């Protein structure tokens, strides 16, 4: 397959920034769209910092000038530019009402052959397909955070997703230096059906004062050999995204085991989103 040259990236938050950076570093032209210039300016600064930061760790590799990489990304609030995208990766807020609008817009703007990949934590890919007239060209690409450092992506086949769409998505992943594990569609897929429930339950442990934040995380790290504990992971993902994802699972399965922990709701109401806001279960003194 020919190299996919132009990739649209919708949403310039935690994930959109990582996806856009990865694509630009692998030589793709990127159109990064979000709803305000302010968000896009912040995204540009973060991508620049992240490229520099990564440069420190990859001293042996021939590093490309960060400005050259940034030049491959067009930052815009205008969806119209996505008409030239051969492939779109959507990374907007984990809310169905928001995503539904976005897919209707993309469907109207992009050529009929363009594949749309949803980087969602829990929303059904089949449901996303229903918001478009191209359900066969909708696929789930659940990237891991931080995107440029993570070689594996959970790929999700929606009810109507075609084999051709799957091979196009695999090809793009290969171009990005990644591989995919393909699973069938179900809310939360494999990873987040387990992870979100684990994190939610870990928050119940804090609420019930069974142990402290660092004790909970240390048990996972030192007893199970996990690299990070569930509460550190929650801070990395973003507590708002965790809450939205648990709510999606709760609504999708109508099963009370997915009820969001009240402490999680309270922290989100208080603006304690984790790393991205500087405070979650841990403090990040202006680090990000
Ligand atoms: P985020 O809150 O950091 O960013 C979401 C971005 O979407 C924001 O910048 C917001 O302004 C933008 N947005 C909202 N409405 C939009 C619209 N109409 N058009 C364009 N942009 C719009 O969230 P995130 O953590 O980057 O998550 C994005 C998606 O990726 C979610 O579906 C989430 O579930 C999923 N995801 C998150 C993680 C993670 O670790 N955070 C991992 C995998 C997948």
């Amino acid at each position: 397959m020919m190299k996919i040259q132009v990739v649209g990236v919708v949403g310039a938050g935690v994930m959109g920034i990582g996806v856009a950076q990865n694509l630009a570093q692998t030589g793709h032209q990127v159109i990064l769209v979000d709803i305000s210039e302010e968000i896009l300016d912040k995204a540009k600064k973060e991508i620049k910092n992240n490229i520099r930061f990564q440069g420190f760790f990859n001293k042996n590799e021939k590093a490309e000038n960060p400005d050259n990489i940034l030049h491959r990304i067009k930052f815009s609030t205008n969806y119209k530019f996505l008409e030239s995208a051969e492939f779109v990766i959507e990374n907007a807020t984990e809310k169905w009402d928001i995503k539904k609008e976005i897919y209707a817009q993309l469907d109207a703007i992009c050529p009929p052959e363009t594949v749309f990949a949803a980087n969602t934590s829990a929303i059904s890919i089949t449901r996303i397909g229903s918001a478009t007239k191209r359900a066969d060209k909708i696929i789930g690409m659940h990237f891991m955070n931080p995107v440029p450092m993570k070689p594996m992506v959970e790929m999700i086949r929606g009810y109507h997703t075609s084999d051709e769409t799957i091979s196009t998505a695999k090809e793009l992943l290969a171009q990005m230096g990644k591989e995919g594990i393909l699973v069938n569609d179900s809310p939360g897929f494999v990873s987040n059906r387990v992870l979100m429930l684990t994190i939610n339950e870990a928050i119940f442990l804090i609420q019930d004062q069974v142990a402290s934040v660092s004790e909970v995380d240390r048990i996972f790290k030192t007893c199970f050999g996990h690299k990070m504990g569930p509460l550190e992971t929650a801070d990395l993902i973003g507590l708002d995204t965790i809450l939205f994802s648990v709510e999606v699972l709760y609504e999708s399965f109508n099963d009370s085991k997915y009820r969001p922990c009240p402490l999680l709701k309270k922290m989100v109401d208080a603006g304690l989103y984790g790393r991205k806001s500087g405070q979650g279960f841990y403090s990040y003194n202006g680090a990000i």
Side-chain angles (χ1 to χ4, degrees):
M1 190 185 279
M2 298 264 292
K3 177 159 181 165
I4 296 168
Q5 305 283 353
V6 184
V7 183
V9 177
V10 176
V14 174
M15 294 310 284
I17 284 175
V19 170
Q21 179 194 330
N22 195 142
L23 284 163
Q25 283 177 314
T26 47
H28 298 86
Q29 297 294 328
V30 180
I31 303 155
L32 179 58
V33 174
D34 206 304
I35 49 178
S36 81
E37 294 295 344
E38 199 187 338
I39 295 171
L40 291 169
D41 285 347
K42 191 166 161 253
K44 192 183 239 174
K45 281 195 197 100
E46 263 182 53
I47 293 174
K48 202 167 185 173
N49 284 342
N50 292 347
I51 297 171
R52 291 229 169 92
F53 187 69
Q54 263 179 41
F56 289 123
F57 288 98
N58 304 327
K59 283 237 158 64
N60 325 340
E61 289 176 27
K62 256 199 257 155
E64 198 185 351
N65 182 332
D67 288 332
N68 290 352
I69 298 171
L70 267 180
H71 273 135
R72 289 195 205 104
I73 309 178
K74 179 176 179 61
F75 297 81
S76 179
T77 55
N78 191 348
Y79 270 71
K80 192 84 180 71
F81 289 113
L82 294 170
E83 69 187 356
S84 61
E86 295 159 72
F87 196 106
V88 175
I89 304 176
E90 174 275 313
N91 317 262
T93 313
E94 183 75 353
K95 290 209 168 214
W96 171 241
D97 288 346
I98 293 178
K99 297 219 192 257
K100 194 170 124 189
E101 279 289 309
I102 290 174
Y103 282 92
Q105 249 176 299
L106 289 174
D107 207 27
I109 287 164
C110 298
E113 62 276 11
T114 303
V115 169
F116 301 158
N119 182 13
T120 165
S121 297
I123 297 174
S124 152
I125 301 307
T126 307
R127 194 173 189 199
I128 290 177
S130 76
T132 71
K133 293 190 190 72
R134 59 180 90 193
D136 60 319
K137 299 214 164 48
I138 310 299
I139 187 165
M141 276 166 98
H142 180 213
F143 286 88
M144 306 296 143
N145 179 18
V147 178
M149 323 278 271
K150 300 284 181 165
M152 193 55 80
V153 173
E154 185 178 31
M155 299 174 77
I156 304 105
R157 182 204 291 270
Y159 187 88
H160 293 291
T161 308
S162 69
D163 290 346
E164 198 188 340
T165 297
I166 292 166
S167 57
T168 305
K170 279 197 171 151
E171 176 58 33
L172 180 63
L173 281 183
Q175 292 171 13
M176 294 174 77
K178 299 193 194 302
E179 279 182 85
I181 298 174
L182 184 66
V183 304
N184 286 323
D185 192 22
S186 177
F189 326 118
V190 170
S191 57
N192 281 335
R193 188 153 155 193
V194 176
L195 180 64
M196 293 300 160
L197 206 50
T198 305
I199 290 174
N200 195 47
E201 205 57 38
I203 303 173
F204 270 113
L205 287 170
I206 303 306
Q207 181 180 277
D208 297 346
Q209 300 186 337
V210 177
S212 70
V213 168
S214 66
E215 284 160 351
V216 169
D217 280 341
R218 273 173 48 222
I219 285 174
F220 279 81
K221 289 191 284 191
T222 54
C223 301
F224 297 154
H226 290 189
K227 276 200 184 142
M228 293 173 76
L231 300 166
E232 285 171 290
T233 308
D235 275 1
L236 175 69
I237 294 173
L239 299 198
D240 50 345
T241 299
I242 303 277
L243 177 60
F244 299 153
S245 306
V246 177
E247 282 172 347
V248 169
L249 289 169
Y250 183 60
E251 285 155 22
S252 305
F253 288 109
N254 288 313
D255 186 335
S256 63
K257 75 179 174 188
Y258 297 108
R259 78 236 174 277
C261 175
L263 176 61
L264 171 61
K265 287 189 182 175
K266 190 174 183 177
M267 290 179 74
V268 171
D269 285 341
L272 309 181
Y273 297 156
R275 285 196 197 196
K276 65 181 166 188
S277 72
Q279 178 72 50
F281 290 103
Y282 298 88
S283 245
Y284 307 86
N285 314 307
I288 288 179

